[in-house]
């Protein structure tokens, strides 16, 4: 079977992401990778929980005065919504509707960029106040946890953008369908991690 | 041939046994000759577990040897295709249940002793005059022992009364170390982040031992001189301990006699006192070993033989004997100059005179 | 490459072939060579240790140098010798055992190797660039933060790179085993080596992320001024201990499970008998893997976690004796009633049983927390883990070297020399490590560069050193054996042991680069044995007609990605004291990312071998 | 790497059926999304309202858990068959993750 076969909605398989052996392997492998990522983030969470509010004697920062819920709420909404829009993209991918898929991914990317902007704003704000990566164990663990998530967001965005550009001309085929699928999975996973970040870091930090 | 083999076996057995019997080590260092209740409990646990483990090994080896002897291809024929057995439920159950039982036999005393050894409540009681508590601070590469109830402090040589529980609060001043007196009981780490607590018991006075002390070790890699971070334990009777405490408290008002010693004291006051205290009363500084009882020590800096020659060498170049330790060379503390032989003699005479025993 | 002709290639072409290969069999060669190199380095370090400790107050090595050698010995042996050597056999055998054409991600397979190799080289460059790491292979945080120079930086960065490679390989094996099994090869028909590879890979998947994070913390603390372990800034060194052991304990099962698998194959083959209790063996493997994650704090009994934590972790640890015991007894019962042929691999397998049991039971003794207060950080521990590692893993590696040599190189190692090697190594091994139990009990801490005379420690230390020399003779003989065999160049042919049971013996040797012309149909456990017993002349039953085979293209990109990270590690290390450091850091990462982008933008569909070419292809790709 | 599934075009009927199913599936997704938004809202509101911490702590963790389950089962297609392997490994990962977090909140700063 040739990857470059032109498909029509009718020849397009129900599960294009796993229709080829490569695709199947990729999906399985990616899930395993996400398993590893889960443990990786668990490590960061565990460390954050052990080190939060800890610093040199006299440190004036604590979660209570630092975090602001409205900002976290907006960020959460952006990311959650982007998760849904990427579901829409995958819906159209399965229906072999390339244009709609690209469009929904664009929306996802825009939402993601919004999230990223706010996160950067937040970080800059903290550093301005004197709460940075190097000033306390609390700072180190906070920026590493939330920052690692941020890096994942960046990677996810770059991935989406590259896919869109790369395939803009050639459309969907069985070679790139798994790639889209995985990028979407990755994006959902980023959202999953964020759910715990806003709960454990922000909400439990101020309550 | 057969006979020769047998003789060889007997010989091997005898060698092994004699090696094993000699394998108890030195009384002042070995966990195999425990001299305190904690160590004895642990030794009993060692014997129990070794017993179980030996049993396991014997069973395995018997089956193993029989199988090899009976089922060699040479013996049963080249072309035999053995029956392809799938397995056996009964056997499976047997070798699941029996190990579980054996493990339970070991697990019960394990859990019991874990809690027993962790029981340091007595230390927290207010007004605990009769409780001996020692605050241990481990530093690169020396030990400070502070007795908060007695308000005294010493270094390198721990002195404890026999016949009662001695409680320890352990912490590290720079990097992690671990406090271990093998013949008295198991170890406890000294962390930089928190204070660990445990207790030991000393049933035997140390004066009958080869060097009159039990040997203690640092058991956690802590840098180049980790191997040289030994300390000593003197266990003495309660009355001796009480008088030792009194003498220690009195070192604050001690005066030096003898002119050489006097001269040494002057140099010491100039170059060394900023780090080393010579009074054993009060609290520890954590900067350098307290030298109040230096003359009574068994070793210099934990490892060198205790004589003037070594002492001078040590002062001349501490790094040579314990790489990475934090005591400066004379040039750094004596206005950029080395000590003259004369000054060294004076210093060592002075230091050797710092005694409270007679 | 795309032609089937076995052209003779020049040396340069061969290097290029290996640099770019994505063939699991060639990657197996790479792992074997690199792993052996690191094993010899680690072994020489071990010899230096033993020479220094041969007598009290020895000054053969200085204190600081000893710590570097000791640290590098442990690190090299675990990360750069034992694991890669196991990967060599996994790569060589597992795809064949499950009837696959290759692993699931050939490209990643190659990437995993190059990351491991360049990470390992980076770590070892520390010797020439200002000093090796010196805080033990465990690199506890308080000491490793204080350690001057760049030694610990080499440790953290080197392990980070090679760890990434390991993680990638782990995922690769998992997917291969999940998705690429030949028709009929159900999970419960998989050979045990495949099973243990599977579980060990799952352990890698979950155990390496904590190490990755721990190493990042260490890198950040040492090179980027963060405070994870700096207690004056609110940090906590115990976090490192936990992270290290959450990784470190599963790691020991990552090592020993594949070894168990290898021995299972060897026992079945040379007892000419189906592995006794196959399903309980599988179950035990999974159980060990599972329990392996719940017991890490048994390395921290003396850290002071409190009696409740100690008690829980004690009992949980002891539980591992049960599934391991199941395995031991199943092997014994495989022998029982079998037809035991004592070849060199079998000799190693026979040596393994008592040695490993002896090492395992001392593990249970250490699992008893109150007893471990005495044993911890003493030579008893050193004895324990060399008994399980050398008596388990290294014996398995040597056994499999003999056992699988024909598959990997189409030659047989010399049997007589093999047996002599075994006896030297085996006796030397027991001589070295048996007496260390007593040294520990007699009060000798580990990681000491010297000991005082008159403390009763002299004699056993001497014995131990003598034993180590016997081991060195053994290893040297093995190397000689390899050389002699290569020079002689006799071909082994297919299934040279005569009693092969699993699919790897059903392919012609030298194995064609596409492995199976037609995918075999698996009709039960030990498929090749089944066909043999039924007198199948053709060797196997096939699941498909002869048809085109799809193959992946070679690629240099894995090497370039790894090289980029290798370069960036230097930048990270020197960015604080030099002006160029930061640029090198960014440039290196840039190179890797660039290579990755090329990889993802350039569609690489591989190529096809056509049916007609296959039809008249007899041999393989020597 | 040989066997790629050969694709037979779907019949018109199959095609229509699949389309409808997919659309139905999409409605499920939107419903799941609505729940997620709701949970998030409740969690933020509960904290903002300032209920006692040891009461809302567990509640918002639970909400987070459910929300994540929704992501996995709907957005990431665990409701489809063939996701067994993914689920097995994710659950294993969650188990490891849970153990780790548990230890880190209990025995890192013991005895303080
Ligand atoms: C391949 C590597 C390997 C393997 C397989 C094991 C296997 C085991 N290990 Fe070991 N271990 C190490 C490598 C390994 N270990 C290393 C490298 C260290 C030191 C790290 C460092 O500090 O540098 C270490 C340290 C170590 C410690 C910490 C000691 C300390 O530092 O204080 C402990 C404590 O519990 C321990 C326990 C065990 C146990 C219970 C097993 C069990 O899995 C063993 C199970 C096997 C058996 C028990 C034998 C067969 C069973 C039967 C025949 C059934 C009947 C048996 C009974 C009823 C007992 N190990
Ligand atoms: C896979 C793991 C592995 C293996 C195989 C070994 C193998 C050996 N180990 Fe090691 N060891 C560790 C893992 C391993 N070790 C670890 C993790 C530590 C802890 C480190 C730490 O505390 O941080 C340790 C620590 C350790 C110590 C304790 C150091 C200390 O605490 O101070 C000692 C001491 O005896 C020792 C000895 C040996 C010996 C003699 C061998 C022998 O079996 C080695 C045999 C191999 C050879 C002898 C090779 C010989 C080759 C040649 C001579 C060249 C010939 C070549 C040609 C002809 C080309 N090891
Ligand atoms: Cu202090 Cu080792
Ligand atoms: Cu362990």
């Amino acid at each position: 079977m040739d990857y470059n076969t032109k498909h029509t909605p009718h020849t397009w398989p129900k599960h294009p992401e796993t229709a080829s052996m490569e695709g199947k392997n990729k999906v399985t492998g990616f899930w395993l990778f996400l398993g590893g990522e889960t443990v990786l983030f668990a490590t960061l969470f565990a460390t954050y929980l052990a080190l939060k509010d800890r610093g040199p004697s006299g440190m004036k920062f604590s979660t209570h005065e630092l975090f602001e819920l409205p900002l976290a709420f907006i960020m959460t909404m952006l990311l959650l919504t982007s998760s849904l829009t990427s579901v829409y993209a995958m819906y159209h991918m399965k229906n072999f509707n390339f244009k709609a898929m690209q469009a929904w991914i664009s929306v996802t990317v825009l939402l993601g960029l919004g999230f990223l902007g706010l996160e950067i704003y937040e970080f800059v704000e903290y550093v301005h106040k004197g709460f940075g990566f190097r000033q306390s164990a609390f700072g180190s663990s906070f920026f590493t946890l939330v920052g690692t998530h941020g890096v994942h967001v960046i990677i996810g965005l770059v991935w989406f953008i590259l896919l869109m550009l790369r395939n803009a001309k050639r459309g969907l085929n069985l070679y790139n369908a798994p790639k889209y699928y995985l990028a979407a999975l990755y994006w959902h996973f980023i959202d999953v991690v964020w759910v715990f970040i806003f709960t454990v870091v922000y909400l439990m930090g101020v309550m | 041939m057969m006979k020769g083999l047998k003789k060889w076996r007997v010989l091997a057995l005898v060698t092994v046994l004699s090696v094993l019997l000699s394998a108890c080590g030195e009384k002042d260092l070995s966990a195999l000759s425990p001299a305190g209740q904690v160590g004895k409990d642990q030794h009993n646990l060692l014997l129990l577990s070794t017993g179980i483990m030996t049993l396991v090994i014997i069973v395995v080896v018997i089956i193993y040897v029989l199988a090899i002897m009976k089922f060699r291809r040479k013996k049963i024929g080249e072309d035999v295709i053995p029956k392809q057995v799938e397995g056996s439920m009964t056997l499976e159950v047997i070798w699941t249940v029996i190990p579980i039982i054996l493990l339970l036999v070991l697990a019960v005393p394990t859990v019991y002793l874990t809690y027993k050894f962790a029981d340091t409540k007595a230390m927290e009681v207010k007004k605990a005059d009769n409780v001996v508590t020692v605050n241990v601070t481990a530093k690169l590469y020396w030990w400070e022992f502070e007795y908060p109830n007695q308000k005294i402090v010493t270094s390198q040589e721990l002195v404890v009364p026999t016949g009662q529980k001695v409680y320890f609060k352990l912490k590290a001043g720079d990097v992690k170390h671990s406090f271990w007196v093998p013949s008295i009981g198991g170890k406890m780490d000294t962390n930089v982040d928190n204070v660990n607590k445990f207790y030991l018991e000393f049933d035997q006075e140390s004066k009958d031992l080869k060097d009159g002390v039990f040997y203690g070790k640092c058991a956690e890699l802590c840098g180049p001189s980790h191997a040289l971070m030994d300390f000593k334990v003197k266990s003495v009777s309660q009355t001796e301990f009480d008088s030792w405490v009194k003498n220690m408290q009195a070192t604050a008002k001690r005066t030096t006699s003898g002119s050489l010693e006097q001269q040494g004291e002057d140099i010491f006051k100039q170059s060394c006192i900023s780090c080393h205290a010579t009074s054993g009363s009060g609290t520890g500084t954590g900067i350098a070993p307290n030298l109040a009882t230096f003359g009574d020590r068994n070793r210099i800096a934990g490892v060198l033989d205790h004589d003037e020659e070594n002492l001078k060498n040590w002062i001349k170049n501490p790094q040579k004997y314990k790489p990475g330790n934090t005591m400066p060379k004379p040039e750094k503390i004596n206005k950029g100059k080395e000590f003259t032989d004369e000054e060294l003699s004076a210093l060592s005479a002075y230091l050797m005179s710092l005694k409270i025993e007679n | 490459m795309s032609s089937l002709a076995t052209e003779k290639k020049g040396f340069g072409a061969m290097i290029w072939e290996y640099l770019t290969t994505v063939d699991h069999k060639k990657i197996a060669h790479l792992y074997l060579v690199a792993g052996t190199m690191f094993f010899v380095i680690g072994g020489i370090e071990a010899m230096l240790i033993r020479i220094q400790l041969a007598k009290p107050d020895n000054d053969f090595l200085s204190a600081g140098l000893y710590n570097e050698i000791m640290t590098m010995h442990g690190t090299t042996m675990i990360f750069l010798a034992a694991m890669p050597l196991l990967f060599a056999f996994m790569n060589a055998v597992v795809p064949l055992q499950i009837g696959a054409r290759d692993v699931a991600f050939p490209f990643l397979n190659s990437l995993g190797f190059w990351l491991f190799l360049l990470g390992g080289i980076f770590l070892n460059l520390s010797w020439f660039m200002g000093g090796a790491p010196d805080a033990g292979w465990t690199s506890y945080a308080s000491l490793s933060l204080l350690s001057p120079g760049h030694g610990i930086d080499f440790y953290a960065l080197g392990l980070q790179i090679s760890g990434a490679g390991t993680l990638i390989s782990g995922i690769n094996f998992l997917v291969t085993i999940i998705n690429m099994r030949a028709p009929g090869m159900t999970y419960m028909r998989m050979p045990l080596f495949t099973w243990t590879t599977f579980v060990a890979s799952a352990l890698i998947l979950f155990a390496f992320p904590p190490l990755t994070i721990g190493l990042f913390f260490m890198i950040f603390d040492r090179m980027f001024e963060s405070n994870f372990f700096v207690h004056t800034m609110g940090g906590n060194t115990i976090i490192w201990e936990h992270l290290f052991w959450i990784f470190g304990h599963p790691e020991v099962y990552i090592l020993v499970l594949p070894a168990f698998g290898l021995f299972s194959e060897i026992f079945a083959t040379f007892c000419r008998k189906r592995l006794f209790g196959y399903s309980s063996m599988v179950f035990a493997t999974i159980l060990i893997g599972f329990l392996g994650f719940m017991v890490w704090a048994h390395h921290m009994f003396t850290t002071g976690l409190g009696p409740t934590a100690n008690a829980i972790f004690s009992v949980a640890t002891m539980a591992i004796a049960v599934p391991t015991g199941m395995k031991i007894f199943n092997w014994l019962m495989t022998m029982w009633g079998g037809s035991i042929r004592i070849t060199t691999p079998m000799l190693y397998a026979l040596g393994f049983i008592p040695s490993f049991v002896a090492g395992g039971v001392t593990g249970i003794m250490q699992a008893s927390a109150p007893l471990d207060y005495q044993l911890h950080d003493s030579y008893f521990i050193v004895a324990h883990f060399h008994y399980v590692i050398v008596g388990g893993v290294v014996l398995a590696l040597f056994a499999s070297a003999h056992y699988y040599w024909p598959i990997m190189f189409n030659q047989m190692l010399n049997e007589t020399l093999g047996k002599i090697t075994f006896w030297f190594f085996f006796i030397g091994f027991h001589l070295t490590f048996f007496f260390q139990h007593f040294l520990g009990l007699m009060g000798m801490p580990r990681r000491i560069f010297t000991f005082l005379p008159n403390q009763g420690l002299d004699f056993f230390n001497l014995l131990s050193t003598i034993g180590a020399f016997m081991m060195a003779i053994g290893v040297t003989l093995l190397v000689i054996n390899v050389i002699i065999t290569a020079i002689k160049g006799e071909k082994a042919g297919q299934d040279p042991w005569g009693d092969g049971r699993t699919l790897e013996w059903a392919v012609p040797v030298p194995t064609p680069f596409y492995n199976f012309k037609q995918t075999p149909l698996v009709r039960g456990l030990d498929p090749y044995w089944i066909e043999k017993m039924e007198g199948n002349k053709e060797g196997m039953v096939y699941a498909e007609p002869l048809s085109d085979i799809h193959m992946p293209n070679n690629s240099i990109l894995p090497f370039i990605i790894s090289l980029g990270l290798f370069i960036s590690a230097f930048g990270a290390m020197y960015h604080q004291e030099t002006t160029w450091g930061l640029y090198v850091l960014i440039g290196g990462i840039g190179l890797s990312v660039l290579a990755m982008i090329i990889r993802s933008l350039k569609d690489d569909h591989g190529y096809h071998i056509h049916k007609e070419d296959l039809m008249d292809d007899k041999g393989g790709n020597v | 790497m040989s066997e790629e599934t050969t694709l037979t075009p779907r019949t018109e009927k199959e095609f229509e059926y699949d389309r409808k199913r997919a659309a139905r599936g999409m409605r499920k997704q939107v419903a799941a999304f609505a729940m997620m938004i709701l949970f998030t809202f409740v969690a933020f509101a509960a904290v903002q309202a300032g209920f006692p911490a040891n009461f809302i702590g567990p509640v918002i963790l639970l909400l987070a858990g459910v929300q994540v389950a929704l992501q996995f089962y709907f957005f990431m297609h665990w409701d489809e068959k063939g996701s067994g392997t993914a689920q097995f490994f994710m659950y294993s990962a969650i188990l490891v993750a849970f153990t780790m977090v548990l230890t880190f909140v209990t025995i890192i700063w013991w005895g303080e």
Side-chain angles (χ1 to χ4, degrees), chain B residues 31 42 64 71 73 78 80 84 86 92 110 115 176 180 182 187 189 191 193 196 210 219-220 223 226, chain C residues 67 142 237 241 272 274 277 280 302-303 308 339-340 350 368 370 373-374 376-377 441 447 454 499 501:
Chain B
Q42 286 163 340
Y64 167 85
F71 300 104
R73 189 167 302 175
E78 270 306 316
V80 178
Q84 305 288 311
E86 237 180 79
E92 226 47 85
T110 293
Y115 280 96
K176 183 174 171 124
W180 187 28
K187 60 189 72 65
D189 294 354
N191 297 321
D193 323 80
N196 271 338
K210 200 169 63 184
E220 182 68 49
H226 159 62
Chain C
N67 285 355
S142 55
T237 57
E241 290 184 29
R272 208 178 256 172
R274 187 193 146 107
S280 76
T302 64
T303 304
T308 308
S339 163
I340 304 173
L350 290 175
S368 171
Y373 298 163
Q374 281 286 17
H376 176 69
D377 266 341
L441 294 171
R447 295 167 167 174
N454 302 321
D499 288 324
R501 309 175 68 83

Side-chain angles (χ1 to χ4, degrees), chain C residues 61-259:
Chain C
L61 300 175
S62 70
L65 183 60
Y66 179 90
N67 285 355
E68 293 174 28
I69 291 179
M70 174 267 296
T71 302
M72 286 299 280
H73 162 69
T75 314
T76 304
M77 281 297 198
I78 300 262
F79 291 97
L80 309 178
M83 265 207 291
L85 286 171
L86 289 169
F87 278 163
F89 294 113
M90 291 178 185
N91 264 305
V93 176
V94 168
L96 295 176
Q97 268 193 338
I98 60 175
R101 292 258 155 72
D102 203 326
V103 292
F105 307 112
F107 181 89
L108 290 185
N109 203 11
S110 155
L111 179 61
F113 171 78
W114 291 111
L115 283 171
F116 140 68
L117 182 66
L118 288 175
I121 290 178
F122 183 82
L123 182 55
N124 274 280
L125 280 179
S126 61
W127 287 117
F128 311 103
M129 301 181 67
D134 58 357
W137 83 289
T138 51
S139 209
Y140 274 16
S142 55
L143 180 60
S144 53
L145 289 194
L146 207 76
S147 171
H150 283 300
I152 304 293
D153 305 344
F154 276 107
Y155 170 95
L157 292 162
L159 288 189
Q160 194 69 288
I161 296 173
S162 78
T166 308
L167 187 59
I168 289 174
S169 308
I171 293 181
N172 200 351
F173 281 121
L174 283 171
V175 180
T176 307
I177 296 171
I178 293 170
N179 283 350
M180 313 276 287
R181 282 166 289 132
M185 174 73 75
T186 59
Y187 278 112
M188 289 314 274
R189 284 178 184 173
M190 285 185 338
L192 258 196
F193 182 50
T194 299
W195 256 114
T196 51
T197 300
F198 183 75
V199 175
S201 301
L203 294 185
I204 288 177
L205 176 62
F206 296 139
F208 269 70
L211 177 71
T212 306
I213 294 297
L215 289 172
F216 267 130
F217 289 170
M218 173 102 34
I219 291 170
F220 289 163
D221 270 12
R222 280 186 62 100
M223 288 164 252
F224 298 90
E225 294 160 59
S226 63
N227 299 299
F228 293 100
F229 308 131
V230 186
H231 69 282
T232 52
M233 298 293 276
N236 183 304
T237 57
I238 311 300
I239 289 179
W240 168 265
E241 290 184 29
H242 278 292
L243 293 183
F244 186 85
W245 289 119
I246 289 173
F247 147 77
H249 185 77
E251 168 68 17
V252 307
Y253 295 114
I254 294 170
L255 294 177
V256 89
L257 286 178

Side-chain angles (χ1 to χ4, degrees), chain B residues 332-352:
Chain B
K332 289 244 176 71
I333 44 179
N334 187 35
K335 312 191 192 77
K337 290 196 305 282
E338 284 184 22
F339 287 120
T340 61
D341 287 349
E342 219 176 313
E343 288 170 318
L344 282 174
S345 309
L347 266 176
S348 65
Y350 168 65
L351 288 173
M352 285 298 187

